[in-house]
Amino acid sequence: SAVISQKPSRDICQRGTSLTIQCQVDSQVTMMFWYRQQPGQSLTLIATANQGSEATYESGFVIDKFPISRPNLTFSTLTVSNMSPEDSSIYLCSLEVYNEQFFGPGTRLTVL
Amino acid sequence: AQTVTQSQPEMSVQEAETVTLSCTYDTSENNYYLFWYKQPPSRQMILVIRQEAYKQQNATENRFSVNFQKAAKSFSLKISDSQLGDTAMYFCALRLIQGAQKLVFGQGTRLTINP
């Protein structure tokens, strides 16, 4: 397994602002993932982040809205830009070890 | 495209009982992994059990076991001797072996274990 931490654990933001979520892991991994979990819903993959290359976004998610950085093998950030109340969700980062994905504790975002 | 369906939004059982959560999926691929994840109120996603599609033997992890029926594309989770700490959302997920490593999740089943 792996130890994954996320900052912040929760935040309340005003619409139109941006929030950057950090994900730190305790081991070097090539691929990291960002998921969104809307209230009462399941998890949906936003993008896959490889170190040293541009993130790959899933259908319905765009880089302008969810820019991702992956500066090294243990760290990634997800920014939620120009937020609206519809962006209120839990955002989770994950990584894969031996074909099993492990998740961070999540960031609960509320947009007013 | 892959889809995962969990048809039981909520379930409730008494402590020490056995409960089975249902999951069906659809994929045109032959090689994939199936997972059950648990998300307690703390919201931390915890991997419960994993099944490789090429293995006929059903996976088991202590009180947790699966009934994997590949032809029927069914993957149910059985929890034996349920405990209060098993109260959580349970998600079924599929990942192809080839190609993208993304997990496709079902809608989840909210399981409550009553004392």
Side-chain angles (χ1 to χ4, degrees), chain B residues 1-2 4 26 28-29 51 66 83 101 103-104:
Chain B
Q2 287 60 244
V4 178
D26 190 33
S28 58
E29 300 293 328
Q51 175 78 43
V66 299
Q83 301 174 0
Q101 296 173 333
L103 285 172
V104 176

Side-chain angles (χ1 to χ4, degrees), chain A residues 58-69:
Chain A
E58 295 296 305
S59 175
F61 298 97
V62 295
I63 187 171
D64 289 347
K65 176 67 175 177
F66 298 101
I68 289 172
S69 79

Side-chain angles (χ1 to χ4, degrees), chain A residues 9 42 58 96 98 101 103, chain B residues 37 43-44 95 102 106:
Chain A
S9 61
S42 185
E58 295 296 305
E96 187 166 283
Y98 297 120
Q101 281 197 21
F103 288 82
Chain B
Y37 281 88
R43 77 172 181 258
Q44 176 77 54
R95 172 201 178 298
K102 63 183 281 187

Side-chain angles (χ1 to χ4, degrees), chain B residues 93-108:
Chain B
L94 178 149
R95 172 201 178 298
L96 299 180
I97 291 180
Q98 298 293 333
Q101 296 173 333
K102 63 183 281 187
L103 285 172
V104 176
F105 286 88
Q107 305 92 317

